[in-house]
Amino acid sequence: MPRRADLLWTALVTALALAALQLDPSDTARGDRGPDLLGVLLVIAACAPVAVRRAQPLAAAVVALTAAAVALALGYAVIVPVLVGLALCSWVAFQSARRVTVPLAAYAGTVMAAAVAITGDESPVPMLILVGASIGVAAVLIGDAIRGERERTRAAQESAQRIAKLRDRDVERAVAEERLRIARDVHDITGHHLSAISLQAVGAGRATTDPVARAALERIHRLTSEALGQTRRSLGVLRGSDPAGPAPRAPTPRLAHVEELLGPARDAGLVVDLRLDTADRPLSDEIEVCAYRVVQEALTNVVRHADASRVRVDVTYGEQELLIAVEDDGVGGPGRPGGGIQGMRERVAIVGGTFAAGPAGYGWSVRASLPLDAEPDQRHPAPLSRIAQGTP
């Protein structure tokens, strides 16, 4: 169904074309044919396709230009229908691909060359053919040029958008990489030194008999424990960076999630036995995280180094402490490379617990005892002898 605007344009150009057809023959180009029924029909046939130029652009252009060229060849004053036909050809070239534009340009040039040559004056026929063909081809080329410019503009805009997105991603990636570098530096420097200060304060506090010095050392231990906890939380935020956007904050690891740690060990072919005491005993976040990480690191060491077939994980509650034992039937040995054992020992020592790791006759054993009443600001750290207990 033609749009109302197209119908109005059709009526307007038809009225103009019929008005031009009623001019005195002496005012026309040839002056030998006045308006008649055939001329009116040809004018209407040339202008009516404007109504369907959106639905059938190619057919509308061909019909309009053909009717206008026939009327022109017969000597009618049809300047308006000719302009309508050429305009529709430009419209088709503007809307269509190059495979349509080329044959349309050939057709328009041929039709206009024939019409101009038939209605020409005393000028040479080759000249008239060249003029007519130029008019028809130029109309199509104008529409094609406009279409090409529009496509280039759109391509430039899309390219600019892609470049902007790539630039934003590069900036985000650089920021994320810098934040991760900072996190690594802080972990390697600050975390290590805070752990060392805390351990030294615990040992010195147990070795001195001066109550003032002991109180000061306890404060040092408490403050370094708090600073270490805050540092770890800050590193979690920094490491949570991602070029695609902020990463979701993971919940604090808890003993209730220990079952999730057994999957990689089982995938590696190990038979895993878990005994998790479900006693409803409140634990601080520091103890929950420490216990979870000890089990995680111990299982990782079994998978990487033990050459074991079975591993047993026991997490039980004593009267005043949480007991963790991870034992395997692997190769055992005097020790294993890497910082995993040292990291577990330091983590356990910070909360005032005891840690031991070493051969257990048939394999390797990791044991930790964590005080149930431990808090980040505990005022009664474990004795240095307990912290140093165990084999690396």
Coordinates of all heavy atoms in Angstrom, one line a residue, residues 246-278:
P246 N 34.1 -5.1 36.7 CA 34.4 -5.5 38.1 C 34.0 -7.0 38.3 O 32.9 -7.4 37.9 CB 33.6 -4.5 38.9 CG 33.3 -3.4 38.0 CD 33.2 -3.9 36.7
A247 N 34.9 -7.7 38.9 CA 34.6 -9.1 39.2 C 33.8 -9.2 40.5 O 33.9 -8.4 41.4 CB 35.9 -9.9 39.4
P248 N 32.9 -10.2 40.6 CA 32.1 -10.3 41.8 C 32.9 -10.7 43.0 O 33.9 -11.4 42.9 CB 31.1 -11.4 41.4 CG 31.8 -12.2 40.3 CD 32.6 -11.2 39.6
R249 N 32.6 -10.2 44.1 CA 33.3 -10.5 45.4 C 33.0 -11.9 45.8 O 31.8 -12.2 46.0 CB 33.0 -9.4 46.4 CG 33.4 -8.0 46.1 CD 34.9 -7.9 46.2 NE 35.4 -8.2 47.6 CZ 35.4 -7.4 48.6 NH1 35.0 -6.1 48.4 NH2 35.9 -7.7 49.8
A250 N 34.0 -12.7 46.0 CA 33.7 -14.1 46.4 C 33.5 -14.1 47.9 O 34.0 -13.3 48.6 CB 34.9 -15.0 46.1
P251 N 32.6 -15.0 48.4 CA 32.4 -15.1 49.8 C 33.6 -15.6 50.5 O 34.5 -16.3 50.0 CB 31.2 -16.1 49.9 CG 31.3 -16.9 48.7 CD 31.8 -15.9 47.6
T252 N 33.7 -15.4 51.9 CA 34.8 -15.8 52.7 C 34.8 -17.3 52.7 O 33.8 -18.0 53.0 CB 34.7 -15.3 54.1 OG1 34.7 -13.8 54.0 CG2 35.9 -15.7 54.9
P253 N 35.9 -18.0 52.4 CA 36.0 -19.5 52.4 C 35.7 -20.0 53.9 O 36.2 -19.4 54.8 CB 37.4 -19.8 52.0 CG 37.9 -18.6 51.3 CD 37.2 -17.4 51.9
R254 N 34.9 -21.0 54.0 CA 34.5 -21.6 55.3 C 34.7 -23.1 55.2 O 34.7 -23.7 54.2 CB 33.1 -21.1 55.7 CG 32.9 -19.6 55.5 CD 31.6 -19.2 56.2 NE 31.6 -19.3 57.6 CZ 32.1 -18.3 58.4 NH1 32.6 -17.2 57.8 NH2 32.1 -18.4 59.7
L255 N 34.7 -23.7 56.4 CA 34.9 -25.1 56.5 C 33.7 -25.8 55.8 O 33.9 -27.0 55.4 CB 35.0 -25.5 58.0 CG 36.3 -25.3 58.6 CD1 36.2 -25.6 60.1 CD2 37.4 -26.0 58.0
A256 N 32.5 -25.2 55.8 CA 31.4 -25.8 55.1 C 31.7 -26.1 53.7 O 31.0 -26.8 53.0 CB 30.2 -25.0 55.3
H257 N 32.7 -25.4 53.1 CA 33.0 -25.5 51.7 C 34.1 -26.4 51.4 O 34.6 -26.5 50.2 CB 33.3 -24.1 51.1 CG 32.2 -23.1 51.4 ND1 32.5 -21.7 51.5 CD2 30.9 -23.2 51.5 CE1 31.4 -21.1 51.8 NE2 30.4 -21.9 51.7
V258 N 34.6 -27.1 52.4 CA 35.8 -28.0 52.2 C 35.5 -29.1 51.2 O 36.4 -29.5 50.4 CB 36.2 -28.6 53.6 CG1 37.2 -29.8 53.4 CG2 36.9 -27.6 54.4
E259 N 34.3 -29.5 51.1 CA 34.0 -30.6 50.1 C 34.3 -30.2 48.7 O 34.7 -31.0 47.9 CB 32.5 -30.9 50.2 CG 32.0 -32.0 49.3 CD 32.5 -33.4 49.7 OE1 32.8 -33.6 50.9 OE2 32.6 -34.2 48.8
E260 N 34.2 -28.9 48.4 CA 34.6 -28.4 47.1 C 36.0 -28.6 46.7 O 36.4 -28.6 45.6 CB 34.2 -26.9 47.0 CG 32.7 -26.6 47.2 CD 32.4 -25.1 47.3 OE1 33.4 -24.3 47.1 OE2 31.3 -24.8 47.5
L261 N 36.9 -28.7 47.8 CA 38.3 -28.8 47.5 C 38.7 -30.2 47.1 O 39.8 -30.5 46.7 CB 39.1 -28.5 48.8 CG 38.9 -27.0 49.3 CD1 39.7 -26.9 50.6 CD2 39.4 -26.0 48.3
L262 N 37.8 -31.2 47.3 CA 38.1 -32.6 47.0 C 38.0 -32.9 45.6 O 38.6 -33.9 45.1 CB 37.2 -33.5 47.8 CG 37.1 -33.2 49.3 CD1 36.2 -34.3 50.0 CD2 38.5 -33.2 50.0
G263 N 37.3 -32.1 44.8 CA 37.1 -32.4 43.4 C 38.4 -32.5 42.6 O 38.6 -33.6 41.9
P264 N 39.4 -31.6 42.6 CA 40.6 -31.7 41.9 C 41.4 -33.0 42.3 O 42.0 -33.6 41.4 CB 41.4 -30.4 42.2 CG 40.3 -29.4 42.6 CD 39.2 -30.2 43.3
A265 N 41.4 -33.3 43.6 CA 42.1 -34.5 44.0 C 41.5 -35.8 43.4 O 42.2 -36.7 43.0 CB 42.2 -34.6 45.5
R266 N 40.2 -35.8 43.4 CA 39.5 -37.0 42.9 C 39.7 -37.0 41.4 O 39.8 -38.1 40.8 CB 38.0 -36.9 43.3 CG 37.8 -37.3 44.7 CD 36.4 -36.9 45.2 NE 36.2 -37.4 46.6 CZ 35.2 -37.0 47.3 NH1 34.3 -36.1 46.8 NH2 35.1 -37.4 48.6
D267 N 39.7 -35.9 40.7 CA 39.9 -35.8 39.3 C 41.3 -36.3 39.0 O 41.6 -36.9 37.8 CB 39.8 -34.4 38.8 CG 38.3 -33.9 38.8 OD1 37.4 -34.8 39.0 OD2 38.1 -32.7 38.8
A268 N 42.3 -36.2 39.9 CA 43.6 -36.6 39.7 C 43.8 -38.1 39.9 O 44.9 -38.7 39.8 CB 44.6 -35.9 40.5
G269 N 42.7 -38.8 40.3 CA 42.7 -40.3 40.5 C 42.9 -40.7 42.0 O 43.1 -41.9 42.2
L270 N 42.9 -39.7 42.9 CA 43.0 -40.1 44.3 C 41.7 -40.5 44.9 O 40.6 -40.0 44.6 CB 43.6 -38.9 45.1 CG 45.0 -38.4 44.8 CD1 45.3 -37.1 45.5 CD2 46.0 -39.5 45.3
V271 N 41.8 -41.4 45.9 CA 40.6 -41.8 46.7 C 40.7 -40.9 47.9 O 41.7 -40.9 48.7 CB 40.7 -43.3 47.1 CG1 39.5 -43.6 48.0 CG2 40.7 -44.1 45.9
V272 N 39.7 -40.0 48.1 CA 39.7 -39.0 49.2 C 38.6 -39.4 50.2 O 37.5 -39.6 49.9 CB 39.4 -37.6 48.6 CG1 39.5 -36.6 49.7 CG2 40.4 -37.3 47.5
D273 N 39.1 -39.6 51.5 CA 38.2 -39.8 52.6 C 38.1 -38.5 53.4 O 39.2 -38.0 53.9 CB 38.7 -40.9 53.5 CG 38.8 -42.3 52.7 OD1 37.9 -42.5 51.9 OD2 39.8 -43.0 52.9
L274 N 36.9 -38.0 53.6 CA 36.7 -36.8 54.4 C 35.9 -37.1 55.6 O 34.9 -37.7 55.6 CB 36.0 -35.7 53.5 CG 35.6 -34.5 54.3 CD1 36.8 -33.7 54.8 CD2 34.7 -33.6 53.4
R275 N 36.5 -36.6 56.8 CA 35.7 -36.7 58.0 C 35.6 -35.3 58.6 O 36.6 -34.7 59.1 CB 36.4 -37.6 59.0 CG 35.5 -37.8 60.3 CD 36.0 -39.0 61.1 NE 37.3 -38.8 61.7 CZ 37.5 -38.4 62.9 NH1 36.5 -38.2 63.7 NH2 38.7 -38.2 63.4
L276 N 34.5 -34.7 58.4 CA 34.3 -33.3 58.8 C 33.3 -33.2 60.0 O 32.1 -33.6 59.9 CB 33.7 -32.4 57.7 CG 33.4 -31.0 57.9 CD1 34.7 -30.2 58.3 CD2 32.8 -30.3 56.7
D277 N 33.8 -32.9 61.1 CA 33.0 -32.8 62.3 C 32.0 -31.6 62.2 O 32.3 -30.5 61.9 CB 33.9 -32.5 63.6 CG 33.1 -32.7 64.9 OD1 31.9 -32.7 64.9 OD2 33.8 -32.9 65.9
T278 N 30.7 -32.0 62.3 CA 29.7 -31.0 62.1 C 29.2 -30.3 63.4 O 28.1 -29.8 63.5 CB 28.5 -31.6 61.4 OG1 28.0 -32.7 62.2 CG2 28.8 -32.1 60.0

